[in-house]
């Protein structure tokens, strides 16, 4: 397994790449390999160093702990990351992010990635330091991208001004996480149509709804009624 692609050549194959970059990628690749083979608890920095053909000091200069190393390696998996997008409206932004997530899973070999994520889920429950590092390197960057989409929607008047952004993100991202968990990477990804239906369903709740004409007319009549009674 590699951080750039699950089927790409190993690091250091391309000519002219700086030695430090090759070492960095070799360390991340070795980390992912050992995670799949041994799990977080059994793998060690020494084992990663041996697999990557570097010294332990080289690893510790880049990462303060095994948890940070593991979290960054996972964050660098091709297809597991998200890239910000601004199409000009919330619906298309969210659809694009969902397509990135599911297309990335298909391209990178979802079975192997899912196996790794299942093992990490168990390890995160037992190791608070891994959970903290995973949140910092993997979860928070993804949530920030979705939060930025929602904030832009509020600023453009597409979404309610009082929207609970954290709760909205839980709904949007939780569904994708749930589907991945129950299918264990073997289920077919949702179609574009199904994805858009989900987004539309959520937007019905968090979107800014125009004020009904009857209520607006009643509000406008109140000042006139008050002035006529004076």
């Amino acid at each position: 397994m590699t951080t750039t692609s699950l089927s790409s050549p190993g690091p250091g194959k391309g000519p002219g790449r700086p030695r430090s970059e090759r070492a960095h990628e070799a360390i991340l690749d070795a980390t992912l390999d050992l995670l799949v083979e041994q799990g977080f608890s059994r793998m060690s920095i020494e084992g990663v160093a041996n697999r990557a053909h570097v010294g332990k000091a080289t690893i510790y200069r880049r990462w303060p702990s095994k948890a940070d190393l593991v979290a960054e390696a996972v964050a660098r998996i091709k297809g597991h990351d998200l890239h910000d997008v601004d199409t000009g409206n919330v619906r298309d932004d969210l659809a694009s992010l969902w397509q990135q997530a599911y297309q990335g899973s298909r391209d990178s070999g979802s079975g192997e990635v899912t196996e790794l994520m299942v093992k990490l889920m168990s390890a995160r429950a037992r190791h608070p330091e891994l959970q903290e590092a995973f949140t910092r390197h993997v979860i928070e960057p993804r949530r920030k991208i979705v939060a930025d989409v929602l904030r832009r929607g509020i600023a453009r008047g597409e979404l309610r001004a009082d929207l609970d952004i954290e709760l909205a993100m839980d709904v949007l991202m939780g569904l994708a996480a749930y589907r991945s968990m129950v299918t264990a990477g073997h289920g077919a990804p949702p179609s574009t149509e199904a994805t858009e239906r989900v987004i539309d369903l959520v937007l019905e709740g968090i979107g800014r709804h125009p004020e009904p004409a009857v209520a607006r007319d009643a509000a406008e009549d109140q000042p006139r009624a008050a002035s006529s009674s004076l």
Side-chain angles (χ1 to χ4, degrees):
M1 180 184 291
T2 70
T3 55
T4 53
S5 171
L6 295 183
S7 59
S8 67
K13 300 295 185 181
R17 300 170 70 186
R19 181 177 179 182
S20 60
E21 180 185 341
R22 294 199 305 269
H24 194 88
E25 292 183 7
I27 293 167
L28 295 176
D29 291 345
T31 299
L32 293 176
D33 288 340
L34 290 177
L35 270 174
V36 172
E37 296 171 13
Q38 302 177 356
F40 179 78
S41 298
R42 291 178 54 206
M43 67 172 289
S44 65
I45 292 295
E46 182 176 5
V48 173
N50 291 336
R51 180 71 63 94
H53 304 292
V54 299
K56 286 194 296 183
T58 300
I59 296 178
Y60 282 119
R61 280 198 298 268
R62 291 169 167 82
W63 296 276
S65 69
K66 182 174 73 170
D68 282 288
L69 170 59
V70 166
E72 183 175 333
V74 172
R76 290 275 298 274
I77 296 174
K78 181 181 179 181
H80 191 69
D81 55 346
L82 291 180
H83 303 285
D84 196 12
V85 60
D86 185 358
T87 65
N89 70 82
V90 171
R91 186 179 187 275
D92 289 347
D93 286 354
L94 293 176
S96 176
L97 291 176
W98 274 54
Q99 289 169 7
Q100 283 185 45
Y102 284 109
Q103 184 62 48
S105 296
R106 288 194 293 266
D107 292 346
S108 61
S110 59
E112 194 172 0
V113 173
T114 300
E115 178 187 357
L116 174 60
M117 299 308 292
V118 168
K119 289 184 177 181
L120 279 176
M121 187 180 300
S122 175
R124 285 160 53 194
R126 299 193 304 271
H127 301 277
E129 73 280 10
L130 177 60
Q131 174 61 23
E132 189 278 330
F134 194 88
T135 298
R136 181 159 31 89
H137 286 281
V138 180
I139 298 174
E140 288 181 352
R142 293 166 71 89
R143 289 180 68 88
K144 180 182 183 303
I145 290 174
V146 178
D148 287 345
V149 168
L150 299 179
R151 290 191 182 99
R152 290 195 298 264
I154 293 173
R156 289 192 297 257
E158 296 177 70
L159 304 180
R160 292 163 29 193
D162 64 345
L163 174 64
D164 186 331
I165 291 179
E166 292 295 320
L167 180 58
M169 286 193 297
D170 286 344
V171 173
L172 289 164
M173 303 177 73
L175 179 60
Y178 171 78
R179 186 182 182 94
S180 176
M181 181 179 66
V182 298
T183 62
H186 300 295
S191 65
T192 300
E193 180 183 359
T195 296
E196 291 177 350
R197 287 204 307 269
V198 170
I199 292 172
D200 287 340
L201 181 64
V202 175
L203 289 179
E204 284 183 16
I206 68 176
R208 180 180 176 183
H209 301 287
E211 183 181 0
V214 174
R216 185 172 59 250
D217 293 342
E220 292 174 352
D221 287 342
Q222 287 180 355
R224 289 197 295 269
S227 61
S228 63
S229 64
L230 295 178

